[in-house]
């Protein structure tokens, strides 16, 4: 049986199969925290019940040893999961020694090199459970909205959004590319089905090491016939809020495990602010306030506060280091202070990163050039002023994909929309209304210097039964990263593939 089902068997004898996540012993008792993939359970072994040999074997178990434990389920609200197993019998499948990932602090490169083992930790387990729930929720939403799931090819003969970020491969002697997006194929499928969504891996060959970039990631791409940009934005908002509600309802324990403050997720259930590109630029440059807050002055205030906090933490570290050197201090007090020092040093690293970033954000905001796309710094500057995702729409057509429709009231702008997540997480959705004018599309393909013959099938969609239509793409890992408030997107996928990393 599984640990998650223990509440159904209180007072009964059960058998659990799993791995030792933690262990301690004291005065004839051994306490094993068992994990089985569904949850954690404290299992208590008594020397008088197990016998001396079995007890000693249990005491010697190393982290991640694989065991089968049989015993009685007892309710105990003080324990993880609210139940405890009183061990009657223990079977050791493998007694592991020298498990590489210990309780001490490990560097991120070490953890990434051991990703196959790091996934077993409580935090990584919780993140993957939340990722799984998000995927489940995404399918539920689109199926309930009468969308048909369809699949776009991963090998393509052309670029969707330009050739600079493509992985090229040999396809039976012909050049082919790993797909950047299934969107063009999604348009074809929407003309057959009305409303479709694709859900699959996509690839970008950007040589970028930022906390937002992966080379291989999963995209959800709905496409809807007879939708305009405003109906598209309505759907995006409804969709994201559906997923957030589902996660808040069904991942309470996992969110608690990763210490996610859910107030921002809860506030994201209100209508998303919708800003034109022009409004967004004014806000970024400090020319327009948001609820009495100015982007520039609020960042300058944050910089001063962060400098003061850095000084306070540095002083506390110095004081505690001096305290440890005091002659005659008890071992327990030394350990307490050392643990506090280690924690403060980790906090200081984050603050030092902020002290490097904030001046860059201020400089980027002050010097933003109208007509440019928003960079990561610009997205951070504007999203700091809101407590929910925001939608920025009607972008300069020069910075958006060739297939986006021009605004009929002002042809300088394309009917694109980006959804920017709060808390500095930036773009999680990009989409818009598609161009239906055949001649305009031909002009844009030539402007982007794309091979016309590769897009003849796509142009057929405008020759035969063209209708207004729209869609969007959601990066699954970016959504997981924001919902879990992760520092880096690499923790949002089981085995990340990014610039400089191909193993494990």
């Amino acid at each position: 049986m599984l640990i998650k089902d223990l509440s159904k068997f209180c007072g009964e004898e059960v058998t659990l199969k799993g791995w030792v996540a933690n262990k301690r012993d004291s005065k004839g008792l051994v306490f094993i925290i068992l994990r089985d993939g569904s949850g954690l359970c404290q299992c208590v072994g008594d020397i008088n019940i197990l016998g001396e040999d079995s007890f000693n074997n249990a005491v010697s178990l190393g982290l991640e040893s694989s065991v089968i434990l049989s015993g009685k389920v007892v309710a105990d609200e003080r324990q993880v999961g609210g139940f405890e197993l009183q061990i009657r019998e223990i079977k050791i499948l493998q007694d592991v020694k020298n498990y590489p990932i210990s309780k001490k602090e490990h560097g991120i490169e070490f953890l990434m090199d051991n990703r196959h083992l790091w996934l077993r930790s409580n935090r990584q387990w919780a993140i993957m459970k939340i990722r799984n729930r998000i995927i489940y929720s995404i399918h539920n939403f689109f199926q309930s909205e009468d969308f048909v799931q369809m699949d776009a090819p991963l090998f393509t003969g052309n670029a969707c959004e330009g050739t600079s970020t493509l992985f090229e491969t040999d396809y039976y002697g012909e050049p082919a590319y790993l797909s950047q997006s299934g969107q063009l194929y999604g348009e074809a499928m929407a003309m057959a089905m009305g409303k479709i969504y694709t859900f699959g891996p996509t690839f970008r060959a950007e040589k970028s090491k930022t906390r937002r970039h992966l080379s291989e990631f999963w995209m959800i791409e709905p496409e809807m016939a007879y939708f305009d940009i405003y109906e598209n934005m309505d759907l995006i908002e409804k969709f994201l809020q559906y997923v957030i509600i589902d996660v808040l309802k069904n991942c309470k324990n996992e969110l608690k495990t990763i210490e996610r403050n859910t107030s921002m997720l809860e506030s994201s259930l209100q209508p998303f602010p919708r800003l034109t590109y022009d409004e967004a630029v004014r806000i970024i440059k400090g020319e327009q306030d948001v609820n009495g807050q100015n982007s520039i002055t609020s960042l300058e205030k944050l910089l001063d506060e962060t400098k003061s906090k850095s000084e306070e933490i540095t002083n506390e570290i110095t004081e505690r280091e001096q305290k440890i050197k005091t002659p005659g201090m008890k071992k327990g007090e030394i350990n307490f202070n050392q643990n506090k020092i280690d924690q403060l040093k980790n906090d200081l690293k984050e603050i030092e990163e902020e002290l490097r970033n904030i001046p860059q954000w201020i400089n980027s905001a002050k010097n933003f050039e109208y007509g440019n796309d928003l960079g990561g710094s610009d997205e951070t500057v504007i999203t700091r002023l809101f407590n929910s995702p925001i939608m920025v729409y009607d972008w300069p057509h020069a910075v958006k994909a060739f297939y986006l429709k021009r605004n009929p009231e002002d042809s300088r702008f394309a009917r694109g929309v980006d959804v920017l997540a709060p808390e500095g997480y930036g773009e999680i959705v990009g989409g818009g209304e598609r161009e239906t004018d055949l001649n305009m599309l031909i002009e844009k393909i030539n402007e982007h210097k794309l091979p016309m013959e590769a897009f003849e099938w796509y142009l057929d969609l405008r020759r035969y039964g063209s209708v207004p239509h729209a869609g969007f793409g959601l990066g699954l890992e970016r959504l997981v990263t924001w919902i879990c408030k992760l520092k880096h997107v690499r923790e949002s996928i089981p085995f990340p593939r990014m610039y400089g990393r191909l193993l494990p």
Side-chain angles (χ1 to χ4, degrees):
M1 70 164 293
L2 297 175
I3 288 172
K4 72 178 182 66
D5 297 323
L6 285 178
S7 61
K8 303 173 186 176
F9 298 91
C10 190
E12 298 183 28
E13 295 281 331
V14 302
T15 297
L16 298 177
K17 302 175 182 180
W19 299 266
V20 176
N22 204 351
K23 178 186 62 66
R24 63 184 176 86
D25 61 276
S26 174
K27 299 178 181 178
L29 295 175
V30 61
F31 302 88
I32 296 172
I33 302 298
L34 191 75
R35 66 169 191 85
D36 69 352
S38 75
L40 297 168
C41 176
Q42 175 168 282
C43 305
V44 183
D46 187 325
I47 191 172
N48 297 314
I49 296 173
L50 293 177
E52 191 170 341
D53 288 344
S54 288
F55 179 81
N56 289 337
N57 289 337
V59 168
S60 71
L61 287 170
L63 289 179
E64 290 304 314
S65 294
S66 46
V67 296
I68 300 175
L69 305 178
S70 298
K72 184 179 180 180
V73 179
V74 177
D76 188 342
E77 62 183 16
R78 299 169 300 174
Q79 305 306 329
V80 58
F83 293 89
E84 181 178 271
L85 185 76
Q86 295 179 345
I87 306 171
R88 298 282 188 267
E89 182 182 350
I90 179 168
K91 181 179 180 181
I92 300 171
L93 302 184
Q94 184 186 45
D95 183 2
V96 172
K97 301 302 180 188
N98 302 315
Y99 183 65
I101 300 179
S102 63
K103 291 181 178 294
K104 72 176 184 180
E105 189 74 20
H106 291 289
I108 188 63
E109 286 304 313
F110 174 86
L111 292 172
M112 288 305 300
D113 289 342
N114 289 276
R115 182 64 171 166
H116 52 295
L117 302 177
W118 190 25
L119 284 171
R120 303 180 186 186
S121 70
N122 287 352
R123 178 177 171 80
Q124 300 306 312
W125 169 85
I127 293 168
M128 291 301 108
K129 290 280 284 188
I130 294 169
R131 176 190 169 99
N132 175 70
R133 190 70 208 187
I134 290 171
I135 292 170
Y136 181 81
S137 179
I138 288 168
H139 283 294
N140 276 351
F141 174 80
F142 286 114
Q143 293 294 329
S144 68
E145 293 285 327
D146 293 323
F147 280 70
V148 178
Q149 184 186 0
M150 298 189 76
D151 302 309
L154 296 185
F155 286 117
T156 66
N158 57 274
C160 178
E161 298 178 2
T163 58
S164 62
T165 61
L166 287 170
F167 285 108
E168 185 174 342
T169 185
D170 182 275
Y171 190 74
Y172 305 111
E174 296 287 334
Y177 307 97
L178 294 180
S179 176
Q180 298 170 311
S181 165
Q183 184 246 306
L184 301 186
Y185 296 96
E187 289 187 49
M189 294 184 282
M191 296 306 107
M193 299 293 179
K195 295 192 297 185
I196 68 95
Y197 72 106
T198 65
F199 197 153
T202 51
F203 307 87
R204 300 286 170 93
E206 293 172 280
K207 292 183 177 179
S208 176
K209 285 191 173 183
T210 77
R211 65 187 181 94
R212 299 180 182 181
H213 283 89
L214 291 171
S215 297
E216 175 187 320
F217 55 98
W218 287 72
M219 284 275 282
I220 300 91
E221 296 183 282
E223 201 71 29
M224 298 79 65
Y226 294 101
F227 266 54
D228 63 21
I229 187 173
Y230 301 105
E231 292 167 307
N232 193 28
M233 288 194 284
D234 290 343
L235 182 72
I236 294 169
E237 181 180 287
K238 183 178 182 181
F239 162 56
L240 287 175
Q241 291 181 343
Y242 180 95
V243 173
I244 292 168
I245 289 170
D246 193 304
V247 170
L248 288 172
K249 178 182 177 182
N250 293 291
C251 296
K252 290 184 174 67
N253 290 335
E254 290 83 1
L255 291 167
K256 184 177 180 181
T257 296
I258 63 175
E259 300 179 329
R260 175 50 156 139
N261 183 331
T262 60
S263 58
M264 190 65 76
L265 299 177
E266 290 157 4
S267 68
S268 296
L269 301 179
Q270 62 186 320
F272 296 172
R274 299 183 183 185
L275 312 170
T276 65
Y277 173 84
D278 282 0
E279 290 175 297
V281 170
R282 289 197 297 271
I283 291 169
I284 289 168
K285 292 176 71 66
E287 297 168 357
Q288 179 177 322
D289 291 355
V290 176
N291 298 323
Q293 278 194 299
N294 181 275
S295 66
I296 305 296
T297 57
S298 66
L299 282 172
E300 290 171 341
K301 181 181 178 183
L302 177 63
L303 182 59
D304 290 338
E305 291 172 348
T306 306
K307 286 178 180 176
S308 297
K309 195 171 182 180
S310 174
E311 188 176 336
E312 288 174 13
I313 290 178
T314 301
N315 290 337
E316 185 176 350
I317 289 172
T318 301
E319 289 172 8
R320 290 185 181 274
E321 286 176 338
Q322 291 296 325
K323 194 173 183 180
I324 285 177
K325 296 176 183 177
T326 304
M329 181 176 283
K330 293 181 179 178
K331 185 178 179 180
E333 194 173 354
I334 291 173
N335 290 339
F336 173 81
N337 279 284
Q338 187 58 57
N339 289 336
K340 188 66 177 177
I341 289 168
D342 293 342
Q343 181 184 335
L344 288 168
K345 285 183 175 178
N346 284 332
D347 293 342
L348 191 59
K349 284 180 184 177
E350 293 182 20
I351 288 172
E352 288 170 347
E353 184 179 356
E354 286 189 4
L355 289 174
R356 289 190 297 271
N357 288 335
I358 296 171
Q360 294 176 12
W361 299 340
I362 294 172
N363 183 64
S364 178
K366 286 181 175 179
N367 297 293
F368 184 85
E369 291 187 20
Y370 183 90
N372 286 350
D373 201 353
L374 302 189
S377 294
D378 309 310
E379 292 174 350
T380 298
V381 168
I382 191 169
T383 56
R384 284 186 65 257
L385 303 175
F386 295 89
N387 60 356
S388 74
I390 64 172
M391 293 181 169
V392 180
Y393 68 101
D394 274 4
W395 292 74
H397 71 85
V399 300
K400 288 299 177 184
F402 75 90
Y403 48 74
L404 284 178
K405 185 179 181 63
R406 295 285 184 95
N407 184 338
E409 297 175 5
D410 191 337
S411 62
R412 295 175 302 161
F413 299 99
R415 308 244 74 170
V417 57
D418 284 1
V419 179
L420 310 180
E423 303 174 283
Y425 282 89
E427 183 187 346
I428 54 175
V429 172
E433 188 174 346
R434 316 311 186 190
E435 182 58 73
T436 55
D437 186 287
L438 177 63
N439 293 327
M440 182 69 75
L441 263 181
I442 291 172
E443 179 185 319
K444 294 297 288 184
I445 290 170
N446 286 326
E447 182 183 316
H448 284 258
K449 298 180 180 179
L450 298 171
M452 189 64 67
E453 65 276 8
F455 290 91
E456 284 298 332
W457 70 269
Y458 183 67
L459 295 173
D460 277 350
L461 304 179
R462 275 66 180 175
R463 296 183 179 113
Y464 308 113
S466 182
V467 300
H469 60 290
F472 62 90
L474 166 78
L476 173 64
E477 285 73 26
R478 286 194 179 186
L479 180 61
V480 173
T481 299
W482 169 56
I483 286 180
C484 294
K485 201 174 183 181
L486 307 179
K487 293 179 183 177
H488 198 292
V489 71
R490 63 190 159 213
E491 289 188 65
S492 65
I493 189 169
F495 292 97
R497 293 292 177 258
M498 53 196 183
Y499 182 56
R501 178 161 295 279
L502 189 58
L503 295 173

